[in-house]
Amino acid sequence: MLQLPFEEIYCLNLVERTDRYKQQRLQYEYLGILNNIIFYRDVRHPFVNEISSFLRDNQIGNLRGAAFNCTRNHYAIIKSAYLRGVESIMIIEDDNQFYKDPETLQTYFDNLPEDWEILRVNCLRGSREEMQFNRDGNTDKLWDNVETAMWGTGCYALSREGMRKMIEWIDSRYDAIDVPLFYYWKSKIKMYIPNRPLGLCFPELTGTDICEGEAASLSGPQFYYKDIKNIDLSMYQY
């Protein structure tokens, strides 16, 4: 049974996505962590379009449409945990699929960097440096803070200091939840990625909630991981 070293673990799921809810329960049962998961089931904000229009018209931040709905849920989880004195959390979106080997996952989570503030468990495509690090899965260095050109919220963990910095960013910039790491990756935040993807997003299997139109066609591991030749997608499917 997988032992995750985080005080609270959340799965963020829209109530209408019962397909994803069932899929998430399936993989948590397989990994032996179902009883540790807090399902944060949310209804889309009824006035998201009106709020987006207000923000746009008044030039407030960059939150628009579904990105607003996504960010408000992540923010609510993080802020609540921080105010309650929680030391660490993991947030999993309902299209994330963990690597299907509990022993491998345990090795990574048993060997976290001592100074970590944010762990990007579900990696997306980034710089060439990051791609090379992901590709070299046999390296002795399991985690590194290599440069990244892109980040996603599919699965990540925050220490207490990581929570504080995320809250500070959203409170001051009113921007999307993934933006802090885009700017802070090295200078202001201790962010680490694993040397192999410990999770993948599979929006092409269940439909993306954020991207629309052309952007949606670019989603999915066949796009994010096109430069990693040795990845076996079957190891992320339950």
Side-chain angles (χ1 to χ4, degrees):
M1 185 174 92
L2 179 63
Q3 300 287 334
L4 292 173
F6 310 111
E7 188 173 345
E8 293 183 351
I9 306 168
Y10 292 87
C11 176
L12 182 54
N13 170 239
L14 291 170
V15 293
E16 66 264 31
R17 295 309 304 261
T18 57
D19 55 335
R20 290 187 178 184
Y21 176 72
K22 293 175 182 178
Q23 181 63 32
Q24 288 298 301
R25 288 184 61 91
L26 184 67
Q27 70 164 328
Y28 299 149
E29 287 176 350
Y30 180 90
L31 296 172
I33 60 174
L34 180 59
N35 292 335
N36 304 114
I37 303 296
I38 302 168
F39 282 93
Y40 188 95
R41 308 198 70 195
D42 179 67
V43 178
R44 290 182 185 274
H45 197 290
F47 303 113
V48 65
N49 293 329
E50 290 84 350
I51 293 173
S52 296
S53 297
F54 173 83
L55 296 175
R56 181 187 63 247
D57 295 344
N58 290 276
Q59 299 181 338
I60 302 173
N62 293 302
L63 289 176
R64 304 290 182 265
F68 165 79
N69 204 64
C70 176
T71 296
R72 74 179 182 89
N73 286 310
H74 283 267
Y75 180 86
I77 293 172
I78 297 168
K79 188 69 174 282
S80 172
Y82 186 78
L83 292 177
R84 288 183 287 106
V86 175
E87 291 297 321
S88 62
I89 63 173
M90 172 178 274
I91 300 178
I92 309 164
E93 291 186 342
D94 60 9
D95 60 354
N96 175 77
Q97 300 283 80
F98 282 109
Y99 187 66
K100 198 176 179 179
D101 183 350
E103 291 186 9
T104 296
L105 292 175
Q106 195 67 64
T107 297
Y108 281 82
F109 289 117
D110 282 347
N111 292 278
L112 299 180
E114 292 185 2
D115 63 345
W116 75 273
E117 293 175 351
I118 298 185
L119 302 174
R120 287 177 52 233
V121 178
N122 184 310
C123 301
L124 302 181
R125 67 186 180 90
S127 64
R128 291 183 179 180
E129 182 183 357
E130 179 180 346
M131 287 296 93
Q132 187 60 46
F133 184 63
N134 285 157
R135 190 178 295 115
D136 297 338
N138 58 348
T139 180
D140 291 334
K141 198 171 188 179
L142 298 179
W143 299 87
D144 201 2
N145 63 339
V146 300
E147 180 179 0
T148 179
M150 188 174 181
W151 184 68
T153 54
C155 182
Y156 63 102
L158 299 170
S159 69
R160 183 155 182 81
E161 181 62 10
M163 285 186 265
R164 186 191 68 79
K165 290 182 177 179
M166 291 286 273
I167 293 168
E168 180 182 58
W169 174 271
I170 300 300
D171 283 347
S172 63
R173 300 295 185 97
Y174 211 60
D175 216 329
I177 193 68
D178 54 353
V179 170
L181 302 190
F182 185 84
Y183 290 105
Y184 281 11
W185 73 271
K186 218 171 196 178
S187 60
K188 294 186 178 180
I189 207 160
K190 297 181 178 66
M191 179 187 71
Y192 289 87
I193 65 170
N195 68 353
R196 67 189 302 165
L198 301 183
L200 291 180
C201 283
F202 280 78
E204 81 284 4
L205 298 181
T206 54
T208 177
D209 293 318
I210 300 297
C211 301
E212 297 178 357
E214 183 180 352
S217 67
L218 299 179
S219 298
Q222 76 281 359
F223 173 67
Y224 294 139
Y225 289 92
K226 63 183 180 181
D227 295 325
I228 303 180
K229 307 302 182 183
N230 64 347
I231 192 168
D232 180 2
L233 295 182
S234 68
M235 286 299 295
Y236 300 85
Q237 297 176 2
Y238 291 80

